[in-house]
PDB file of all heavy atoms in Angstrom:
ATOM      1  N   GLU B  20      18.784   6.241 -42.335  1.00 93.00           N
ATOM      2  CA  GLU B  20      20.063   6.970 -42.603  1.00 93.00           C
ATOM      3  C   GLU B  20      20.728   7.264 -41.276  1.00 93.00           C
ATOM      4  O   GLU B  20      20.341   8.198 -40.556  1.00 93.00           O
ATOM      5  CB  GLU B  20      19.808   8.277 -43.361  1.00 93.00           C
ATOM      6  CG  GLU B  20      19.284   7.976 -44.758  1.00 93.00           C
ATOM      7  CD  GLU B  20      19.088   9.258 -45.592  1.00 93.00           C
ATOM      8  OE1 GLU B  20      19.645  10.309 -45.226  1.00 93.00           O
ATOM      9  OE2 GLU B  20      18.405   9.198 -46.604  1.00 93.00           O
ATOM     10  N   PRO B  21      21.713   6.463 -40.904  1.00 94.00           N
ATOM     11  CA  PRO B  21      22.339   6.667 -39.580  1.00 94.00           C
ATOM     12  C   PRO B  21      23.014   7.964 -39.499  1.00 94.00           C
ATOM     13  O   PRO B  21      23.729   8.418 -40.359  1.00 94.00           O
ATOM     14  CB  PRO B  21      23.324   5.525 -39.488  1.00 94.00           C
ATOM     15  CG  PRO B  21      23.605   5.102 -40.917  1.00 94.00           C
ATOM     16  CD  PRO B  21      22.374   5.390 -41.699  1.00 94.00           C
ATOM     17  N   GLY B  22      22.836   8.691 -38.334  1.00 91.00           N
ATOM     18  CA  GLY B  22      23.530   9.926 -38.080  1.00 91.00           C
ATOM     19  C   GLY B  22      24.921   9.586 -37.544  1.00 91.00           C
ATOM     20  O   GLY B  22      25.327   8.452 -37.497  1.00 91.00           O
ATOM     21  N   PRO B  23      25.703  10.641 -37.183  1.00 90.00           N
ATOM     22  CA  PRO B  23      27.024  10.366 -36.587  1.00 90.00           C
ATOM     23  C   PRO B  23      26.840   9.549 -35.349  1.00 90.00           C
ATOM     24  O   PRO B  23      25.873   9.746 -34.590  1.00 90.00           O
ATOM     25  CB  PRO B  23      27.499  11.783 -36.282  1.00 90.00           C
ATOM     26  CG  PRO B  23      26.503  12.751 -36.683  1.00 90.00           C
ATOM     27  CD  PRO B  23      25.305  12.056 -37.225  1.00 90.00           C
ATOM     28  N   HIS B  24      27.762   8.667 -35.086  1.00 94.00           N
ATOM     29  CA  HIS B  24      27.724   7.833 -33.877  1.00 94.00           C
ATOM     30  C   HIS B  24      26.517   6.904 -33.845  1.00 94.00           C
ATOM     31  O   HIS B  24      26.054   6.466 -32.802  1.00 94.00           O
ATOM     32  CB  HIS B  24      27.732   8.637 -32.593  1.00 94.00           C
ATOM     33  CG  HIS B  24      28.809   9.695 -32.588  1.00 94.00           C
ATOM     34  ND1 HIS B  24      30.153   9.398 -32.679  1.00 94.00           N
ATOM     35  CD2 HIS B  24      28.688  11.061 -32.597  1.00 94.00           C
ATOM     36  CE1 HIS B  24      30.843  10.548 -32.640  1.00 94.00           C
ATOM     37  NE2 HIS B  24      29.969  11.575 -32.674  1.00 94.00           N
ATOM     38  N   GLU B  25      25.905   6.629 -35.014  1.00 97.00           N
ATOM     39  CA  GLU B  25      24.823   5.684 -35.045  1.00 97.00           C
ATOM     40  C   GLU B  25      25.192   4.459 -35.817  1.00 97.00           C
ATOM     41  O   GLU B  25      26.026   4.482 -36.709  1.00 97.00           O
ATOM     42  CB  GLU B  25      23.531   6.342 -35.626  1.00 97.00           C
ATOM     43  CG  GLU B  25      22.893   7.334 -34.680  1.00 97.00           C
ATOM     44  CD  GLU B  25      21.500   7.781 -35.113  1.00 97.00           C
ATOM     45  OE1 GLU B  25      21.117   7.528 -36.280  1.00 97.00           O
ATOM     46  OE2 GLU B  25      20.767   8.253 -34.306  1.00 97.00           O
ATOM     47  N   ALA B  26      24.517   3.347 -35.490  1.00 98.00           N
ATOM     48  CA  ALA B  26      24.653   2.114 -36.234  1.00 98.00           C
ATOM     49  C   ALA B  26      23.312   1.743 -36.862  1.00 98.00           C
ATOM     50  O   ALA B  26      22.282   2.263 -36.466  1.00 98.00           O
ATOM     51  CB  ALA B  26      25.125   1.017 -35.273  1.00 98.00           C
ATOM     52  N   VAL B  27      23.347   0.857 -37.817  1.00 98.00           N
ATOM     53  CA  VAL B  27      22.143   0.318 -38.370  1.00 98.00           C
ATOM     54  C   VAL B  27      22.060  -1.134 -37.977  1.00 98.00           C
ATOM     55  O   VAL B  27      23.005  -1.915 -38.182  1.00 98.00           O
ATOM     56  CB  VAL B  27      22.051   0.419 -39.912  1.00 98.00           C
ATOM     57  CG1 VAL B  27      20.834  -0.288 -40.450  1.00 98.00           C
ATOM     58  CG2 VAL B  27      22.003   1.911 -40.299  1.00 98.00           C
ATOM     59  N   VAL B  28      20.938  -1.481 -37.411  1.00 98.00           N
ATOM     60  CA  VAL B  28      20.710  -2.853 -36.926  1.00 98.00           C
ATOM     61  C   VAL B  28      19.686  -3.524 -37.821  1.00 98.00           C
ATOM     62  O   VAL B  28      18.579  -2.970 -38.039  1.00 98.00           O
ATOM     63  CB  VAL B  28      20.218  -2.923 -35.473  1.00 98.00           C
ATOM     64  CG1 VAL B  28      19.922  -4.301 -35.014  1.00 98.00           C
ATOM     65  CG2 VAL B  28      21.267  -2.272 -34.532  1.00 98.00           C
ATOM     66  N   ALA B  29      20.039  -4.659 -38.379  1.00 98.00           N
ATOM     67  CA  ALA B  29      19.062  -5.482 -39.125  1.00 98.00           C
ATOM     68  C   ALA B  29      18.266  -6.278 -38.102  1.00 98.00           C
ATOM     69  O   ALA B  29      18.814  -7.057 -37.301  1.00 98.00           O
ATOM     70  CB  ALA B  29      19.783  -6.419 -40.078  1.00 98.00           C
ATOM     71  N   VAL B  30      16.949  -6.041 -38.049  1.00 98.00           N
ATOM     72  CA  VAL B  30      16.117  -6.503 -36.948  1.00 98.00           C
ATOM     73  C   VAL B  30      15.740  -7.994 -37.197  1.00 98.00           C
ATOM     74  O   VAL B  30      15.282  -8.357 -38.315  1.00 98.00           O
ATOM     75  CB  VAL B  30      14.834  -5.671 -36.822  1.00 98.00           C
ATOM     76  CG1 VAL B  30      13.989  -6.149 -35.652  1.00 98.00           C
ATOM     77  CG2 VAL B  30      15.189  -4.180 -36.681  1.00 98.00           C
ATOM     78  N   ALA B  31      15.988  -8.825 -36.210  1.00 98.00           N
ATOM     79  CA  ALA B  31      15.572 -10.238 -36.290  1.00 98.00           C
ATOM     80  C   ALA B  31      14.155 -10.378 -35.744  1.00 98.00           C
ATOM     81  O   ALA B  31      13.193 -10.733 -36.439  1.00 98.00           O
ATOM     82  CB  ALA B  31      16.579 -11.117 -35.503  1.00 98.00           C
ATOM     83  N   LEU B  32      14.007 -10.017 -34.480  1.00 98.00           N
ATOM     84  CA  LEU B  32      12.678 -10.055 -33.840  1.00 98.00           C
ATOM     85  C   LEU B  32      12.404  -8.716 -33.171  1.00 98.00           C
ATOM     86  O   LEU B  32      13.287  -8.077 -32.634  1.00 98.00           O
ATOM     87  CB  LEU B  32      12.637 -11.139 -32.753  1.00 98.00           C
ATOM     88  CG  LEU B  32      12.550 -12.622 -33.219  1.00 98.00           C
ATOM     89  CD1 LEU B  32      12.660 -13.528 -31.965  1.00 98.00           C
ATOM     90  CD2 LEU B  32      11.273 -12.855 -34.005  1.00 98.00           C
ATOM     91  N   ALA B  33      11.163  -8.321 -33.181  1.00 98.00           N
ATOM     92  CA  ALA B  33      10.749  -7.126 -32.443  1.00 98.00           C
ATOM     93  C   ALA B  33       9.489  -7.519 -31.598  1.00 98.00           C
ATOM     94  O   ALA B  33       8.663  -8.351 -32.045  1.00 98.00           O
ATOM     95  CB  ALA B  33      10.393  -5.965 -33.354  1.00 98.00           C
ATOM     96  N   GLY B  34       9.366  -6.941 -30.430  1.00 98.00           N
ATOM     97  CA  GLY B  34       8.247  -7.278 -29.512  1.00 98.00           C
ATOM     98  C   GLY B  34       7.246  -6.116 -29.537  1.00 98.00           C
ATOM     99  O   GLY B  34       7.613  -4.946 -29.530  1.00 98.00           O
ATOM    100  N   ILE B  35       5.967  -6.483 -29.491  1.00 98.00           N
ATOM    101  CA  ILE B  35       4.909  -5.467 -29.406  1.00 98.00           C
ATOM    102  C   ILE B  35       4.597  -5.197 -27.933  1.00 98.00           C
ATOM    103  O   ILE B  35       4.283  -6.120 -27.166  1.00 98.00           O
ATOM    104  CB  ILE B  35       3.628  -5.900 -30.157  1.00 98.00           C
ATOM    105  CG1 ILE B  35       4.030  -6.113 -31.639  1.00 98.00           C
ATOM    106  CG2 ILE B  35       2.524  -4.824 -30.033  1.00 98.00           C
ATOM    107  CD1 ILE B  35       2.863  -6.714 -32.477  1.00 98.00           C
ATOM    108  N   CYS B  36       4.667  -3.920 -27.557  1.00 95.00           N
ATOM    109  CA  CYS B  36       4.486  -3.469 -26.165  1.00 95.00           C
ATOM    110  C   CYS B  36       3.152  -2.732 -26.115  1.00 95.00           C
ATOM    111  O   CYS B  36       2.668  -2.159 -27.078  1.00 95.00           O
ATOM    112  CB  CYS B  36       5.665  -2.571 -25.816  1.00 95.00           C
ATOM    113  SG  CYS B  36       5.484  -1.573 -24.343  1.00 95.00           S
ATOM    114  N   ASN B  37       2.608  -2.608 -24.909  1.00 92.00           N
ATOM    115  CA  ASN B  37       1.383  -1.877 -24.747  1.00 92.00           C
ATOM    116  C   ASN B  37       1.536  -0.410 -25.181  1.00 92.00           C
ATOM    117  O   ASN B  37       0.599   0.245 -25.604  1.00 92.00           O
ATOM    118  CB  ASN B  37       0.872  -1.928 -23.300  1.00 92.00           C
ATOM    119  CG  ASN B  37       0.199  -3.184 -22.986  1.00 92.00           C
ATOM    120  OD1 ASN B  37      -0.053  -4.057 -23.856  1.00 92.00           O
ATOM    121  ND2 ASN B  37      -0.072  -3.452 -21.715  1.00 92.00           N
ATOM    122  N   THR B  38       2.766   0.127 -25.025  1.00 92.00           N
ATOM    123  CA  THR B  38       3.021   1.493 -25.442  1.00 92.00           C
ATOM    124  C   THR B  38       2.798   1.648 -26.909  1.00 92.00           C
ATOM    125  O   THR B  38       2.290   2.665 -27.382  1.00 92.00           O
ATOM    126  CB  THR B  38       4.446   1.886 -25.026  1.00 92.00           C
ATOM    127  OG1 THR B  38       4.562   1.747 -23.605  1.00 92.00           O
ATOM    128  CG2 THR B  38       4.727   3.358 -25.410  1.00 92.00           C
ATOM    129  N   ASP B  39       3.147   0.634 -27.716  1.00 95.00           N
ATOM    130  CA  ASP B  39       2.904   0.679 -29.143  1.00 95.00           C
ATOM    131  C   ASP B  39       1.395   0.808 -29.406  1.00 95.00           C
ATOM    132  O   ASP B  39       0.985   1.569 -30.317  1.00 95.00           O
ATOM    133  CB  ASP B  39       3.457  -0.598 -29.860  1.00 95.00           C
ATOM    134  CG  ASP B  39       4.960  -0.777 -29.599  1.00 95.00           C
ATOM    135  OD1 ASP B  39       5.677   0.264 -29.675  1.00 95.00           O
ATOM    136  OD2 ASP B  39       5.357  -1.903 -29.301  1.00 95.00           O
ATOM    137  N   LEU B  40       0.623   0.060 -28.651  1.00 94.00           N
ATOM    138  CA  LEU B  40      -0.805   0.105 -28.834  1.00 94.00           C
ATOM    139  C   LEU B  40      -1.385   1.473 -28.433  1.00 94.00           C
ATOM    140  O   LEU B  40      -2.280   1.994 -29.064  1.00 94.00           O
ATOM    141  CB  LEU B  40      -1.460  -1.014 -28.058  1.00 94.00           C
ATOM    142  CG  LEU B  40      -0.891  -2.435 -28.312  1.00 94.00           C
ATOM    143  CD1 LEU B  40      -1.539  -3.462 -27.381  1.00 94.00           C
ATOM    144  CD2 LEU B  40      -1.157  -2.844 -29.755  1.00 94.00           C
ATOM    145  N   GLU B  41      -0.810   2.029 -27.367  1.00 91.00           N
ATOM    146  CA  GLU B  41      -1.215   3.368 -26.934  1.00 91.00           C
ATOM    147  C   GLU B  41      -0.859   4.419 -27.944  1.00 91.00           C
ATOM    148  O   GLU B  41      -1.690   5.313 -28.224  1.00 91.00           O
ATOM    149  CB  GLU B  41      -0.503   3.751 -25.599  1.00 91.00           C
ATOM    150  CG  GLU B  41      -0.878   2.944 -24.394  1.00 91.00           C
ATOM    151  CD  GLU B  41      -2.021   3.530 -23.655  1.00 91.00           C
ATOM    152  OE1 GLU B  41      -2.190   4.733 -23.654  1.00 91.00           O
ATOM    153  OE2 GLU B  41      -2.811   2.724 -23.014  1.00 91.00           O
ATOM    154  N   ILE B  42       0.313   4.264 -28.572  1.00 93.00           N
ATOM    155  CA  ILE B  42       0.685   5.217 -29.614  1.00 93.00           C
ATOM    156  C   ILE B  42      -0.263   5.136 -30.766  1.00 93.00           C
ATOM    157  O   ILE B  42      -0.672   6.174 -31.361  1.00 93.00           O
ATOM    158  CB  ILE B  42       2.157   4.973 -30.070  1.00 93.00           C
ATOM    159  CG1 ILE B  42       3.100   5.351 -28.969  1.00 93.00           C
ATOM    160  CG2 ILE B  42       2.477   5.678 -31.366  1.00 93.00           C
ATOM    161  CD1 ILE B  42       4.543   4.970 -29.175  1.00 93.00           C
ATOM    162  N   ALA B  43      -0.697   3.930 -31.096  1.00 93.00           N
ATOM    163  CA  ALA B  43      -1.642   3.749 -32.213  1.00 93.00           C
ATOM    164  C   ALA B  43      -3.080   4.194 -31.798  1.00 93.00           C
ATOM    165  O   ALA B  43      -3.984   4.095 -32.579  1.00 93.00           O
ATOM    166  CB  ALA B  43      -1.659   2.296 -32.641  1.00 93.00           C
ATOM    167  N   ARG B  44      -3.173   4.718 -30.587  1.00 91.00           N
ATOM    168  CA  ARG B  44      -4.436   5.427 -30.233  1.00 91.00           C
ATOM    169  C   ARG B  44      -4.160   6.894 -30.008  1.00 91.00           C
ATOM    170  O   ARG B  44      -5.031   7.638 -29.520  1.00 91.00           O
ATOM    171  CB  ARG B  44      -4.962   4.830 -28.871  1.00 91.00           C
ATOM    172  CG  ARG B  44      -5.457   3.427 -28.959  1.00 91.00           C
ATOM    173  CD  ARG B  44      -6.010   2.932 -27.614  1.00 91.00           C
ATOM    174  NE  ARG B  44      -6.034   1.481 -27.558  1.00 91.00           N
ATOM    175  CZ  ARG B  44      -5.296   0.741 -26.741  1.00 91.00           C
ATOM    176  NH1 ARG B  44      -4.479   1.313 -25.877  1.00 91.00           N
ATOM    177  NH2 ARG B  44      -5.373  -0.584 -26.812  1.00 91.00           N
ATOM    178  N   GLY B  45      -2.976   7.351 -30.345  1.00 85.00           N
ATOM    179  CA  GLY B  45      -2.709   8.806 -30.370  1.00 85.00           C
ATOM    180  C   GLY B  45      -1.720   9.257 -29.269  1.00 85.00           C
ATOM    181  O   GLY B  45      -1.287  10.400 -29.285  1.00 85.00           O
ATOM    182  N   TYR B  46      -1.330   8.349 -28.379  1.00 81.00           N
ATOM    183  CA  TYR B  46      -0.448   8.741 -27.285  1.00 81.00           C
ATOM    184  C   TYR B  46       0.902   9.288 -27.868  1.00 81.00           C
ATOM    185  O   TYR B  46       1.433   8.757 -28.786  1.00 81.00           O
ATOM    186  CB  TYR B  46      -0.129   7.509 -26.427  1.00 81.00           C
ATOM    187  CG  TYR B  46       0.835   7.676 -25.288  1.00 81.00           C
ATOM    188  CD1 TYR B  46       0.572   8.570 -24.228  1.00 81.00           C
ATOM    189  CD2 TYR B  46       1.980   6.897 -25.211  1.00 81.00           C
ATOM    190  CE1 TYR B  46       1.454   8.722 -23.229  1.00 81.00           C
ATOM    191  CE2 TYR B  46       2.853   7.033 -24.194  1.00 81.00           C
ATOM    192  CZ  TYR B  46       2.618   7.915 -23.175  1.00 81.00           C
ATOM    193  OH  TYR B  46       3.500   8.054 -22.130  1.00 81.00           O
ATOM    194  N   MET B  47       1.409  10.343 -27.233  1.00 83.00           N
ATOM    195  CA  MET B  47       2.718  10.958 -27.586  1.00 83.00           C
ATOM    196  C   MET B  47       2.645  11.701 -28.931  1.00 83.00           C
ATOM    197  O   MET B  47       3.561  12.390 -29.272  1.00 83.00           O
ATOM    198  CB  MET B  47       3.832   9.906 -27.675  1.00 83.00           C
ATOM    199  CG  MET B  47       4.159   9.227 -26.400  1.00 83.00           C
ATOM    200  SD  MET B  47       4.853  10.309 -25.086  1.00 83.00           S
ATOM    201  CE  MET B  47       6.456  10.743 -25.800  1.00 83.00           C
TER     202      MET B  47
END
Side-chain angles (χ1 to χ4, degrees):
Chain B
E20 293 183 18
H24 313 294
E25 287 193 341
V27 173
V28 177
V30 183
L32 287 175
I35 299 174
C36 166
N37 284 350
T38 302
D39 302 316
L40 306 175
E41 293 269 331
I42 288 171
R44 292 182 200 115
Y46 177 61
M47 297 293 292

